[in-house]
Amino acid sequence: MERTFVMVKPDGVKRGLIGEVIKRIEQKGLKIVAMKMMEVSKELAEKHYAEHKEKPFFQSLISYITSGPVVAMVVEGKEAVKVMRNLVGKTNPIEASPGTIRGDFAMDIGRNIVHASDSLESAEREISLFFNEEEILSYERAD
Ligand code: CMP
């Protein structure tokens, strides 16, 4: 069983897409084991996106992700990292397939609604940045 980190970004929250993202995660059969609405501080944003520090879009990425509330989640399930990336679609919404969240709801790479960890290593790092172990709950899904 894997865990991955998912975040509905400020544009997803402002456009009223929290429920749509949650619905797709649940109907796929993944399990949400932690969730909170929060504002991301500049410090947390810079840690979360550390791998993009040298990219030309880094400053706009930081100001965007700190521009309004996000919904952070820990999602659990078989191959959760891969399954979640498939649900979300390609980073650039122009290339994301219809049926994926970005394919269905976004047009702009900088406003792509949702983040999902790209590897197990990233998932562990990102989960530990946003959640304490006590905030991650355990229960059985009734499928
Ligand atoms: P995310 O999956 O959250 O991970 C890194 C983010 O950087 C990515 O989604 C995009 O929103 C953003 N990003 C990647 N490439 C670009 C780009 N060329 N211009 C602006 N933002 C980008």
Side-chain angles (χ1 to χ4, degrees):
M1 209 52 78
E2 279 181 17
R3 281 177 181 169
T4 191
F5 176 73
V6 177
M7 176 167 53
V8 184
K9 299 188 192 183
D11 60 316
V13 173
K14 287 176 184 166
R15 290 177 57 194
L17 293 171
I18 301 169
E20 182 67 38
V21 173
I22 290 173
K23 183 189 80 178
R24 288 174 183 230
I25 293 169
E26 291 189 321
Q27 75 184 11
K28 178 65 180 167
L30 292 167
K31 184 162 65 176
I32 297 169
V33 291
M35 178 161 62
K36 60 183 162 193
M37 185 177 237
M38 59 186 283
E39 282 174 351
V40 179
S41 67
K42 190 164 179 283
E43 293 70 30
L44 177 57
E46 286 176 352
K47 282 185 194 161
H48 175 70
Y49 282 128
E51 67 181 288
H52 298 296
K53 205 168 175 40
E54 306 305 325
K55 305 267 175 64
F57 57 82
F58 184 69
Q59 284 313 324
S60 64
L61 184 57
I62 299 304
S63 51
Y64 156 59
I65 209 71
T66 57
S67 68
V70 303
V71 175
M73 290 175 243
V74 179
V75 172
E76 193 174 271
K78 190 174 171 189
E79 301 207 45
V81 171
K82 190 193 290 178
V83 173
M84 202 56 231
R85 292 285 287 188
N86 286 340
L87 283 183
V88 164
K90 290 195 177 165
T91 303
N92 184 351
I94 297 293
E95 289 166 13
S97 303
T100 65
I101 296 168
R102 290 169 175 163
D104 288 349
F105 296 105
M107 286 291 281
D108 183 342
I109 193 165
R111 298 279 183 279
N112 59 6
I113 300 171
V114 64
H115 168 86
S117 309
D118 63 4
S119 67
L120 209 44
E121 296 70 38
S122 303
E124 281 171 14
R125 196 181 69 81
E126 293 168 359
I127 289 168
S128 67
L129 283 174
F130 283 80
F131 291 95
N132 301 321
E133 237 352 276
E134 308 85 69
E135 293 176 299
I136 304 174
L137 307 179
S138 177
Y139 65 99
E140 292 298 316
R141 261 190 74 112
D143 285 312

